[in-house]
Amino acid sequence: DGGITQSPKYLFRKEGQNVTLSCEQNLNHDAMYWYRQDPGQGLRLIYYSQIVNDFQKGDIAEGYSVSREKKESFPLTVTSAQKNPTAFYLCASSMSAGGFTDTQYFGPGTRLTVL
Amino acid sequence: AQSVAQPEDQVNVAEGNPLTVKCTYSVSGNPYLFWYVQYPNRGLQFLLKYITGDNLVKGSYGFEAEFNKSQTSFHLKKPSALVSDSALYFCAVRPMDSNYQLIWGAGTKLIIKP
């Protein structure tokens, strides 16, 4: 899992609540990513950030929000507008988003369950 | 539409036998190709990638992958499987016209039986 930490490992949310998932990296990477993983599916990109104070929507951004105030941190908020948030969430980073050959490195993940 | 296919949901191999996990892709131009492994309730670990050059790429834990441009495939291989290789394997492709997006396969569950 390298130098990427995610917390908490397990998170339970009631209907209508917003929750924030933490992602921190000490790899000095410029780019960071949030993915959602559901059983039997590949990873789906939620948001990505190429540089501090900048981020772009991925394929499934509806119901999610992010911020990138520091290079090492990229928190994800799952809002009440996300209709089916139960999933495994993975944070990743790479040296630069513009590096075509850069490898993405992943954190250990957060499993979110809606009660 | 650009896509990655891992045609087998599950692959069963006896310990000590060679293993192959298949990946085919459909993207424009020459892609960059990646393999990752995921153990239960863990993040993904990078195994290897193909950028250019030799079609046979060697990676972590004794794995290797062969890039075949004519068949648009990037199959993952290992000469002798270990029980500890049992995990979920993902193939991913970055098209050359994308500077961030990885297109992911759905994953293949590899089960190595003693």
Side-chain angles (χ1 to χ4, degrees):
Chain A
D1 298 331
I4 303 174
T5 58
Q6 291 185 242
S7 61
K9 186 171 183 177
Y10 298 98
L11 185 57
F12 298 92
R13 191 193 92 170
K14 294 181 180 179
E15 297 266 359
Q17 277 185 335
N18 293 352
V19 292
T20 297
L21 284 59
S22 170
C23 177
E24 304 274 334
Q25 54 99 359
N26 63 3
L27 302 170
N28 199 33
H29 284 171
D30 286 325
M32 298 187 73
Y33 312 80
W34 274 106
Y35 290 95
R36 171 178 171 143
Q37 184 180 18
D38 294 286
Q41 298 188 34
L43 278 64
R44 292 184 290 169
L45 184 65
I46 305 172
Y47 269 98
Y48 70 100
S49 169
Q50 300 182 63
I51 197 167
V52 173
N53 293 322
D54 182 66
F55 49 83
Q56 284 80 40
K57 294 181 179 180
D59 298 322
I60 57 165
E62 184 176 353
Y64 300 97
S65 65
V66 293
S67 62
R68 186 86 186 276
E69 297 177 359
K70 299 186 295 182
K71 185 175 184 176
E72 58 271 22
S73 179
F74 191 40
L76 173 74
T77 296
V78 184
T79 74
S80 57
Q82 169 50 236
K83 299 194 183 311
N84 185 21
T86 294
F88 192 50
Y89 290 86
L90 290 160
C91 178
S93 71
S94 65
M95 194 170 297
S96 65
F100 285 86
T101 62
D102 286 352
T103 298
Q104 291 185 16
Y105 295 94
F106 285 79
T110 293
R111 186 166 298 281
L112 173 62
T113 302
V114 174
L115 302 174
Chain B
Q2 304 190 100
S3 63
V4 175
Q6 293 183 242
E8 300 155 318
D9 292 336
Q10 183 170 309
V11 172
N12 298 298
V13 178
E15 186 177 26
N17 283 1
L19 69 89
T20 299
V21 182
K22 295 180 180 178
C23 173
T24 59
Y25 63 89
S26 175
V27 299
S28 55
N30 294 318
Y32 302 116
L33 300 148
F34 301 79
W35 274 103
Y36 287 83
V37 60
Q38 184 180 35
Y39 297 98
N41 294 311
R42 301 291 300 275
L44 275 68
Q45 295 180 29
F46 169 71
L47 282 177
L48 52 81
K49 65 182 177 183
Y50 173 81
I51 304 301
T52 187
D54 193 344
N55 290 342
L56 187 63
V57 180
K58 295 188 183 297
S60 306
Y61 313 121
F63 284 93
E64 58 190 27
E66 186 170 12
F67 171 61
N68 188 318
K69 186 175 181 179
S70 62
Q71 296 185 7
T72 61
S73 68
F74 189 54
H75 301 332
L76 182 70
K77 300 180 180 183
K78 188 173 183 180
S80 178
L82 301 172
V83 172
S84 58
D85 293 330
S86 299
L88 187 59
Y89 290 80
F90 288 97
C91 179
V93 177
R94 178 180 288 133
M96 286 191 71
D97 60 357
S98 167
N99 65 351
Y100 71 91
Q101 184 78 292
L102 282 175
I103 302 171
W104 293 86
T108 298
K109 186 175 184 180
L110 177 64
I111 297 177
I112 309 300
K113 298 184 178 180

